[in-house]
């Protein structure tokens, strides 16, 4: 009876911890595309390689088959990660630095083994993107209007983005024989997105013409705004448009205003070729997500109407925003672990992420709500300026390439307590310069990693890892240069139930 109560209390605490991690999972940001460069401090320190050895409960995010290597009956894991991006913009000698330079992400997991079967639950941050340029950014103060007038003022409001992606995963792993294990996870995936973005009139006009994206509007919006590109000013009396703005944010560090949930899965295998060599492979499915939605969005335009003496008139519509068809891509990883000596472990993975299938376009659909403030026909006396129920669909070209990443690492056991680790990962930048966006600069290519592990005893284990990503550069067609480097660290703790 006493043992039963302890187990019940333990499971209650585990459940509470997992719930807290789900609520406060926080955003994660771009390293390998939008994936983190490593999951779990042991693997993180060894270049992110994780397909063919015991990486702890972080196998949930890597190869679930390796959970069978857990030495005890159960394992409780907790992690904390800091990602420190450094993003700089340079345009004609004018520089701007993103204020988003430190993001924190906890993780929690509990894995249990019964005979040849291993199962459990875990919550981890997956990845994402984000930048913060503030409301006083010199590079976002002015742009070119729809009809080519340079130096036109933009909104002067906050410019930022924040995409967060998390997963709650339930694994099932079966050890077929002493050498072969197979496993899978069923994943609940959630995403949240904040976006505060100005698009100058010239860029918006190009998108309306199918250059760099597309814009489709329902009748009144098309008449009022779309007519400008054809030189028909009668509907709104406008002579130009300075900018368009998309704005939805909840102001939270842990969630996004536009959000949605979905599902995915992973399958993996691990095989011990001989006492020294183990190989592993895993497939991560493409997600099946809801559209990310919010009813608290706004779309604004700054028009210059001839009927008002040329004064800039912001037109702001409130309504619903849907970020459509946004999915996390499928990924394939193969790897090996070689126990060179009793003290030295060598590991390596090769992974391919199918960004080209999911990051072709970034699509949003805005629908103006029934607020009286969306009826501009009253204030301007123009019948076609009643925008209630009107829609706008915007697609911005991304055209990401698939990304291949080579992960290499090593671990050396100094003694029974201490281990030192090091590694690196090498990849290509998946974003073509033609379409790189200062709000989504997922351009990092290489990481150099190191870390330590300390085993207090057979039950308690702690690991620390740090990673440096050298500066990568991309140049937009406009001439803006985007530089991106990172310093990241992670901390993992596990308690083993014997």
């Amino acid at each position: 009876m006493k043992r039963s109560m302890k187990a019940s209390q333990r499971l209650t605490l585990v459940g509470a911890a997992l719930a807290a991690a789900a609520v406060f999972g926080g955003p994660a940001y771009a390293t390998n595309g939008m994936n983190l460069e490593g999951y779990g401090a042991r693997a993180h320190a060894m270049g992110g390689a994780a397909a063919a050895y015991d990486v702890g409960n972080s196998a949930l995010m890597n190869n679930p088959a390796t959970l069978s290597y857990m030495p005890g009956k159960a394992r409780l894991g907790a992690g904390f990660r800091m990602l420190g991006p450094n993003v700089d913009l340079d345009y004609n000698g004018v520089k701007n630095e993103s204020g988003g330079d430190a993001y924190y992400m906890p993780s929690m997991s509990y894995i249990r083994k019964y005979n040849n079967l291993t199962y459990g639950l875990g919550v981890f941050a997956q990845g994402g993107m984000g930048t913060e340029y503030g409301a006083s950014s010199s590079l976002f103060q002015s742009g070119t209007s729809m009809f080519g007038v340079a130096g036109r003022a933009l909104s002067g409001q906050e410019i930022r983005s924040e995409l967060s992606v998390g997963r709650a995963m339930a694994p099932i792993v079966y050890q077929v024989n002493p050498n072969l294990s197979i496993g899978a996870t069923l994943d609940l995936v959630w995403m949240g997105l904040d976006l505060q973005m100005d698009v100058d009139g010239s860029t918006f006009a190009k998108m309306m013409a199918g250059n760099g994206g597309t814009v489709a509007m329902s009748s009144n919006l098309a008449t009022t705004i779309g007519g400008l590109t054809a030189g028909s000013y009668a509907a709104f009396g406008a002579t130009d448009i300075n900018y368009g703005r998309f704005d939805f944010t909840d102001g939270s560090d842990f969630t996004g205003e536009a959000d949605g949930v979905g599902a995915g899965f992973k399958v993996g295998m691990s095989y011990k070729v001989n006492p020294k060599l183990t190989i592993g492979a895993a497939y991560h499915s493409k997600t099946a997500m809801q559209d990310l939605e919010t009813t608290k969005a706004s779309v604004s335009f700054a028009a210059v109407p001839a009927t008002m003496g040329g004064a800039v008139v912001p037109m702001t519509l409130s309504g619903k925003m849907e970020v459509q068809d946004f999915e996390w891509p499928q990924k394939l990883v193969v790897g090996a672990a070689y126990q060179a000596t009793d003290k030295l472990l060598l590991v390596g993975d090769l992974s391919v992420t199918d960004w080209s299938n999911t990051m072709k376009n970034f699509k949003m659909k805005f629908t103006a709500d029934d607020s009286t403030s969306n009826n501009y026909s009253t204030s301007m006396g123009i019948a076609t300026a009643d925008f209630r129920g009107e829609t706008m669909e915007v697609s911005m070209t991304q055209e990401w390439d698939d990304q291949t990443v080579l992960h290499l690492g090593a671990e050396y056991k100094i003694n029974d307590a201490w281990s030192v680790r090091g590694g690196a990962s090498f990849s290509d930048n998946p974003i073509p310069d033609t379409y790189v966006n200062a709000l989504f600069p997922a351009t990092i290519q290489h990481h150099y990693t190191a870390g330590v592990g300390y085993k207090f005893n057979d039950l308690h284990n702690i690991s620390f890892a740090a990673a440096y990503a050298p500066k990568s550069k991309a140049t937009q067609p406009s001439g803006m240069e985007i530089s991106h480097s990172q310093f990241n660290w992670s901390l993992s703790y596990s308690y083993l139930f014997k």
Side-chain angles (χ1 to χ4, degrees):
M1 181 71 177
K2 193 172 185 180
R3 181 181 298 174
S4 176
M5 288 188 65
K6 285 184 177 179
S8 175
Q9 291 170 349
R10 185 171 69 223
L11 290 174
T12 299
L13 289 172
V14 170
L18 290 174
V23 173
F24 299 108
Y29 294 85
T31 53
N32 287 326
M34 292 187 290
N35 281 309
L36 298 178
E37 75 273 19
Y39 296 93
R42 188 184 187 193
H44 191 195
M46 291 195 278
Y53 67 104
D54 183 13
V55 297
N57 292 359
S58 63
L60 289 163
M61 293 295 294
N62 297 295
N63 179 5
T66 65
L67 289 170
S68 66
Y69 299 145
M70 182 176 68
K73 294 181 179 179
R75 183 164 54 197
L76 177 67
F80 198 71
R81 201 184 205 285
M82 192 284 289
L83 193 144
N86 182 13
V87 179
D88 296 315
L89 308 181
D90 189 333
Y91 183 68
N92 290 335
V94 179
K95 297 185 179 181
N96 197 184
E97 183 176 356
S98 169
D101 55 7
Y103 301 96
Y104 301 93
M105 299 156 277
S107 62
M108 289 292 295
S109 55
Y110 179 74
I111 302 299
R112 188 168 182 82
K113 182 184 286 187
Y114 179 76
N115 294 330
N116 290 344
L117 199 64
T118 305
Y119 55 93
L121 182 66
V123 180
F124 283 76
Q126 168 81 64
M129 295 187 291
T131 51
E132 300 177 14
Y133 298 107
S136 57
S137 165
S138 56
L139 292 178
F140 294 96
Q141 291 299 305
S142 64
T144 302
S145 73
M146 183 171 282
F147 289 107
V149 180
R152 286 283 177 85
L154 302 183
S155 72
Q157 300 180 58
E158 183 83 13
I159 302 295
R160 63 181 289 270
S161 66
E162 183 175 281
L163 170 68
S164 56
V165 185
R167 289 186 185 238
M169 294 156 289
I172 186 78
V173 181
Y174 182 68
Q175 187 172 7
V176 179
N177 57 49
N179 295 323
L180 176 64
S181 295
I182 56 175
T185 67
L186 180 62
D187 302 358
L188 173 67
V189 185
W190 61 90
M191 298 185 185
L193 176 65
D194 288 340
L195 185 63
Q196 296 176 286
M197 176 177 66
D198 287 358
V199 178
D200 69 8
S202 174
T203 301
F204 193 78
K206 290 176 183 177
M207 291 169 61
M208 292 175 68
N211 183 3
T214 61
V215 179
M217 294 175 281
S218 57
S219 58
N220 284 359
L221 274 173
T223 301
T224 304
I225 298 167
L228 291 176
T229 59
S232 174
Y233 313 139
F236 195 49
T239 59
D240 211 346
I241 286 184
N242 287 352
Y243 68 85
R245 178 175 174 82
F246 303 90
D247 195 327
F248 48 95
T249 179
D250 63 359
S252 170
D253 290 334
F254 302 104
T255 60
E257 179 59 47
D259 56 20
V261 298
F265 68 88
K266 306 183 193 77
V267 293
M269 61 76 65
S270 182
Y271 181 71
K272 293 185 178 180
V273 179
N274 56 50
K276 289 183 175 291
L277 178 64
T278 302
I279 59 174
Y283 170 75
H284 302 192
S285 76
K286 178 182 174 181
T287 58
M289 294 292 301
Q290 298 174 326
D291 290 341
L292 311 184
E293 296 184 358
T294 176
T295 58
K296 299 178 181 179
S298 66
V299 169
S300 306
F301 292 93
V304 184
T307 55
M308 294 191 170
V312 174
V313 178
M315 181 179 71
T316 300
L317 308 178
S318 61
K320 176 182 177 180
M321 185 69 77
E322 303 167 62
V323 179
Q324 299 178 323
D325 303 326
F326 193 90
E327 303 288 354
W328 209 261
Q330 62 182 343
K331 175 182 174 180
L332 179 65
V333 57
V334 296
Y338 183 68
Q339 193 70 54
T341 70
D342 290 344
K343 293 181 177 292
L344 178 63
L345 174 67
L346 304 175
V347 297
D349 287 0
L350 187 69
S351 66
V352 180
T353 304
D354 185 22
W355 295 116
S356 64
N357 186 261
T358 58
M359 294 297 289
K360 291 181 179 293
N361 300 285
F362 179 74
K363 296 188 288 187
M364 298 184 292
K365 180 180 179 181
F366 176 77
T367 304
D369 59 32
D370 292 332
S371 301
T372 56
S373 60
N374 285 341
N375 183 5
Y376 278 77
S377 62
T378 303
S379 58
M380 295 187 176
I382 303 170
T384 57
D386 183 356
F387 302 116
R388 292 174 295 184
E390 296 293 300
T391 62
M392 173 184 293
E393 296 182 65
V394 176
S395 175
M396 290 181 281
T397 303
Q398 302 289 296
E399 293 294 348
W400 285 28
D401 298 322
D402 293 341
Q403 185 179 40
T404 300
V405 185
L406 175 64
H407 308 264
L408 299 172
E411 176 184 76
Y412 184 78
K413 291 182 66 173
I414 299 174
N415 51 43
D416 289 342
W418 285 98
S419 298
V420 292
R421 301 160 184 150
S425 65
F426 306 95
S427 68
D428 46 356
N429 167 20
I431 308 179
D433 282 9
T434 302
Y435 301 115
V436 67
N437 190 310
L439 289 178
F440 307 107
T443 57
I444 289 293
Q445 298 181 64
H446 311 313
H447 298 84
Y448 300 95
T449 63
V452 296
Y454 181 73
K455 191 175 181 180
F456 293 90
N457 50 46
D458 288 341
L459 304 181
H460 298 274
N461 199 330
I462 192 168
S463 294
F464 175 81
Y468 171 68
K471 183 179 293 185
S472 64
K473 294 184 178 181
T475 304
Q476 294 178 326
S478 67
M480 179 182 287
E481 183 180 83
I482 302 172
S483 301
H484 186 182
S485 63
Q486 292 180 359
F487 178 78
N488 314 320
W489 58 260
S490 61
L491 183 68
S492 296
Y493 165 79
S494 68
Y495 180 80
L496 195 67
F497 298 92
K498 288 288 191 178

